[in-house]
């Protein structure tokens, strides 16, 4: 059973404990009064209150809202060599608590990748976002999110009305939290509206900054943790960042416990099936509920009827039996998400995937998500992954692309772009959030080709015995009339037009050590299709000799070389 411990109510005692924790855990940064990048007072700064008994300070990104106190199992997840059915990468399996819903996990990893590019000195691990997401919302309530990463219903903390929590009057006119009187923490990462207003990010590229979207919230949390040029690989700075997120020693310890647990291994589980926490820091009597959807009011019970005097006097009868209060109707079962209705993927008329090195593929991979009845399912996230020894990418340079199915259930991957490595590789299509078999497509990159070779000069190539040719052989390659750049070629001094074996006399090249060689390999035309051969030399043999150049694609050219004694 997961451990549970209560949280001190906000007040002088909590402030003192937090101050000691900060001093002990962070020598470089205390989460006191700070300013954000725009010079405004950050949510972690002390705020005035009319009630000294509540402390009245809204701390960090969450306003020091409640959080889940469940601790990870004592047994750490054990990484295994099995492969994820959705990503093809090695994952660990076993403990249910080590499972992270697919879309939520994807959001954490994308946020880490974005911070690695924009703030490389921060060294943000995605496991820290996962630890905070676990403590704040139970990984978006076990991954109850749609294809774009938005929760099916808002995740709201209690009113920050000073009743055991921070006192933060409404700052957003209820725009984010639906409360026009007091602020509430919102979304999978539990941002208060005043913090989200400046810290919010668009993590899924839809042009909006929505605290209820796990991609937006995870990216915002990453940037929030990386403020003040923190390096999260330094423990004291990581501690300071966590305390700045929610100013509580217990919160810090809980987050660090999950961070350590997730670092030892996790595995991907379908959306909506993640393990839910059961203990909250606000579980003491009279406290507000932990982050959840707004509670449905219960039906009031029917009042008891007053007692009636007995006929003839002398006391009263027993109370009239009170009919039982009508019970609230049983909640309707939650309808399955579109992702949960997918039974399989079908090919959507994907053609042959072939391209020449360095060019775009003319065909795109397209699949259709279908139900058991073979009907297309819309609003499902399909992940396309390039697998194999290749430098091919999708447009934009990525090896993974996620696409949401349209009204017909079809998802089409971005165009593939071939690199310089030739050969076959695989494009795998899988449904994000479901453990289903994927579809594999073989793509082939062929070498660059030339079908024509010509000399760039018509000057005769002549030399005296024992001398060197004054002009170097220069050729130009084309393919279907266009310049054929970066095409592989070989050059060999052959015995005759009918005998393409290497000659053992006549003109020759020199290698790096000055030794005689008569075959050159690993030649490549330049970007303009031009190939300039090294200088040629002649031995004592005289006559007409042949140099043959061949390229990938079948282009060939034979060049005459004449060696004759100088005229007397």
């Amino acid at each position: 059973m997961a451990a549970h411990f209560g949280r001190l109510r906000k007040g002088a005692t909590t402030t003192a404990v937090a101050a000691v924790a900060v001093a002990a855990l962070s020598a470089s940064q205390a989460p006191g009064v700070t300013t954000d990048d725009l010079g405004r007072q950050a949510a972690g700064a002390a705020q005035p209150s009319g009630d000294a008994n509540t402390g009245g300070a809204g701390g960090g990104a969450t306003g020091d809202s409640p959080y889940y106190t469940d601790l990870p199992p004592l047994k750490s997840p054990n990484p295994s060599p099995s492969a994820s059915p959705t990503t093809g990468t090695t994952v660990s399996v076993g403990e249910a608590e080590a499972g992270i819903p697919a879309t939520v996990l994807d959001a954490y990893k994308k946020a880490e990748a974005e911070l690695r590019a924009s703030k490389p000195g921060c060294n943000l691990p995605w496991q820290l976002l996962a630890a905070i997401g676990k403590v704040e919302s139970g990984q978006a309530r076990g991954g109850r999110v749609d294809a774009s990463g938005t929760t099916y219903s808002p995740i709201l903390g209690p009113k920050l009305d000073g009743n055991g929590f921070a006192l933060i009057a409404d700052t957003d006119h209820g725009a984010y939290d639906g409360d026009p009187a007091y602020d509430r923490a919102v979304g999978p990462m539990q941002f208060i509206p005043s913090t989200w207003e400046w810290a919010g990010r668009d993590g899924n590229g839809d042009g909006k900054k929505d605290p209820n979207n796990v991609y937006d919230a995870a990216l915002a949390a990453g940037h929030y943790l990386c403020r003040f040029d923190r390096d999260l690989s330094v423990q004291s700075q990581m501690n300071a960042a966590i305390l700045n997120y929610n100013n509580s020693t217990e919160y810090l310890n809980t987050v660090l416990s999950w961070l350590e647990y997730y670092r030892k291994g996790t595995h991907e589980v379908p959306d909506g099936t993640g393990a839910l926490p059961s203990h909250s820091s606000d579980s003491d009597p009279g406290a507000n509920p932990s982050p959840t959807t707004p509670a449905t009011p219960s039906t009031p019970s029917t009042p008891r009827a007053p007692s009636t005097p007995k006929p003839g006097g002398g006391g009263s009868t027993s109370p009239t039996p009170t009919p039982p209060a009508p019970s609230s109707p049983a909640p309707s079962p939650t309808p399955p998400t579109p992702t949960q209705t997918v039974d399989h993927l079908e090919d959507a008329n994907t053609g042959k995937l072939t391209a020449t090195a360095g060019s775009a593929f003319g065909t795109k991979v397209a699949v259709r998500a279908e139900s058991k009845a073979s009907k297309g399912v819309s609003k499902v996230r399909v992940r396309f992954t390039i697998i194999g020894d290749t430098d091919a990418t999708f447009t934009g340079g990525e090896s993974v692309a996620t696409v949401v199915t349209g009204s017909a259930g079809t998802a089409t991957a971005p165009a593939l772009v071939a690199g310089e490595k030739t050969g076959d590789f695989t494009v795998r299509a899988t449904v994000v959030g479901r453990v289903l078999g994927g579809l594999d497509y073989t793509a082939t990159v062929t070498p660059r080709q030339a079908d024509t070779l010509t000399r760039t000069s018509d000057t005769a190539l002549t030399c005296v015995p024992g001398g060197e040719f004054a002009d170097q052989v220069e050729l130009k390659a084309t393919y279907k009339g266009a310049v054929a750049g970066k095409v592989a070629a070989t050059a060999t001094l052959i015995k005759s037009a009918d005998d393409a074996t290497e000659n053992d006399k006549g003109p020759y090249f020199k290698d790096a050590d000055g030794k005689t060689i008569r075959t050159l390999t690993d030649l490549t035309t330049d970007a303009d299709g031009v190939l300039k051969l090294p200088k040629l030399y002649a031995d004592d043999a005289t006559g007409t000799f042949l140099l043959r150049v061949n390229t990938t694609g079948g282009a060939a050219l034979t060049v005459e070389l004449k060696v004759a004694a100088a005229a007397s």
Side-chain angles (χ1 to χ4, degrees):
M1 179 176 179
H4 168 229
F5 46 86
R7 181 173 173 214
L8 295 174
R9 282 183 172 272
K10 191 123 181 100
T13 303
T14 306
T15 305
V17 171
V20 172
V22 172
L25 295 171
S26 177
S28 61
Q29 176 67 53
V33 178
T34 58
T35 58
D36 60 44
D37 295 337
L38 301 179
R40 297 169 295 196
Q41 190 175 34
Q47 300 180 25
S49 168
D51 185 356
N53 294 327
T54 66
T62 70
D64 287 350
S65 292
Y67 57 91
Y68 290 112
T69 57
D70 299 53
L71 293 175
L74 295 176
K75 182 180 178 182
S76 297
N78 183 27
S80 76
S82 62
S84 164
T86 54
T87 63
T89 57
T90 300
V91 296
S92 59
V93 296
E95 293 285 348
E97 289 292 350
I100 299 178
T103 299
V104 179
L105 179 61
D106 188 52
Y108 296 149
K109 292 187 176 182
K110 284 190 174 177
E112 180 199 53
E114 196 278 345
L115 267 299
R116 192 187 304 125
S118 62
K119 295 184 179 180
C122 177
N123 295 305
L124 171 77
W126 67 260
Q127 291 91 341
L128 176 57
L129 296 176
I132 291 176
K134 179 71 173 182
V135 169
E136 292 293 350
S137 67
Q139 311 297 19
R141 289 200 218 96
R144 294 289 301 165
V145 296
D146 64 17
S148 66
T150 302
T151 57
Y152 285 111
S153 55
I155 302 176
L156 299 176
K159 294 182 179 182
L160 297 175
D161 56 6
N163 182 23
F165 309 105
L167 173 59
I168 305 180
D170 176 64
T171 62
D172 65 331
H173 305 290
Y176 294 121
D177 55 16
D179 192 329
Y182 298 98
D183 273 352
R184 296 181 176 208
V186 183
M189 304 304 276
Q190 289 290 281
F191 278 94
I192 55 175
S194 56
T195 302
W196 184 262
E197 189 62 30
W198 60 266
R201 295 291 194 278
D202 177 14
N204 64 350
D206 64 356
K208 297 184 293 185
K209 299 176 182 179
D210 182 3
N212 293 298
N213 182 278
V214 69
Y215 286 96
D216 295 358
L219 184 58
H223 278 278
Y224 188 92
L225 294 165
C226 288
R227 294 183 307 155
F228 312 124
D229 294 324
R230 290 191 182 107
D231 180 358
L232 300 186
S233 65
V234 178
Q235 190 62 51
S236 63
Q237 295 190 40
M238 176 182 284
N239 294 344
I242 298 170
L243 284 169
N244 207 188
Y245 203 90
N246 191 318
N247 193 355
S248 163
T249 307
E250 293 91 342
Y251 180 87
L252 170 66
N253 292 334
T254 306
V255 169
L256 291 178
S257 296
W258 282 105
L259 169 63
E260 182 65 20
Y261 181 74
Y262 286 142
R263 276 177 163 165
K264 291 179 179 178
T266 61
H267 61 276
E268 182 182 285
V269 299
D271 289 344
T273 66
L276 296 174
S278 56
H279 299 92
S280 171
S281 64
D282 65 345
S283 59
D284 50 300
N288 288 326
S290 55
T292 183
T293 51
T296 302
S298 59
T299 305
S301 60
T302 305
R304 292 174 60 91
S307 59
T308 306
K310 263 186 188 179
S316 60
T317 62
S318 300
T320 302
T322 302
S327 59
S328 300
S332 301
T334 304
T337 67
T339 300
Q340 291 170 330
T341 66
V342 176
D343 178 72
H344 59 276
L345 288 176
E346 283 289 336
D347 176 55
N349 297 319
T350 301
K352 188 175 182 180
L353 298 170
T354 304
T356 301
S359 64
F361 284 73
T363 301
K364 296 180 180 179
V365 178
V367 299
R368 188 170 185 258
E370 295 186 351
S371 64
K372 283 186 177 180
S374 296
K375 292 184 177 180
V377 183
S378 63
K379 298 181 180 179
V380 173
R381 298 174 68 242
V382 176
R383 180 181 296 146
F384 298 94
T385 306
I386 296 175
I387 301 171
D389 182 17
T390 180
D391 53 357
T393 64
F394 292 113
T395 302
E398 300 293 333
S399 60
V400 178
T402 303
V403 179
V404 179
T405 58
S407 58
T410 301
T412 302
L416 285 164
V417 179
E420 295 303 321
K421 289 185 178 180
T422 59
D424 294 342
F425 64 91
T426 299
V427 178
R428 178 169 297 163
T430 55
V431 176
V432 177
R434 288 298 307 273
V435 182
L436 296 172
L439 292 180
D440 284 356
Y441 294 86
T442 299
T444 303
V445 179
T446 59
R448 298 171 187 263
Q449 301 179 46
D451 55 17
T452 304
L453 275 176
T454 58
R455 282 191 62 196
T456 59
S457 169
D458 56 4
T459 304
L461 297 167
T462 61
C463 182
V464 296
E468 60 184 53
F469 287 80
D471 297 307
Q472 291 177 243
V473 178
E474 186 176 274
L475 312 172
K476 185 166 185 177
T478 57
Y479 182 69
K480 294 182 179 180
V483 167
K486 298 183 180 179
V487 175
T490 60
T492 305
L493 289 152
I494 60 176
K495 291 183 177 179
S496 70
D498 299 324
D499 186 354
T501 57
E502 182 181 285
N503 206 338
D504 55 0
K505 61 181 179 179
Y508 61 90
F509 300 105
K510 290 183 180 180
D511 64 13
D513 297 324
K515 295 180 180 178
T516 297
I517 56 172
R518 290 189 168 88
T519 297
L520 297 177
T521 57
D522 298 326
L523 300 173
T524 305
T525 62
D526 64 16
D528 296 322
V530 174
L531 175 63
K532 190 172 186 177
L533 300 182
K535 184 174 290 189
L536 278 161
Y537 301 88
D539 60 14
D540 294 334
T542 59
T544 299
F545 301 90
L546 301 178
L547 169 67
R548 182 165 293 171
V549 181
N550 296 279
T551 70
T552 304
L557 180 67
T558 302
V559 181
E560 285 191 350
L561 305 172
K562 294 184 178 181
V563 181
S568 57

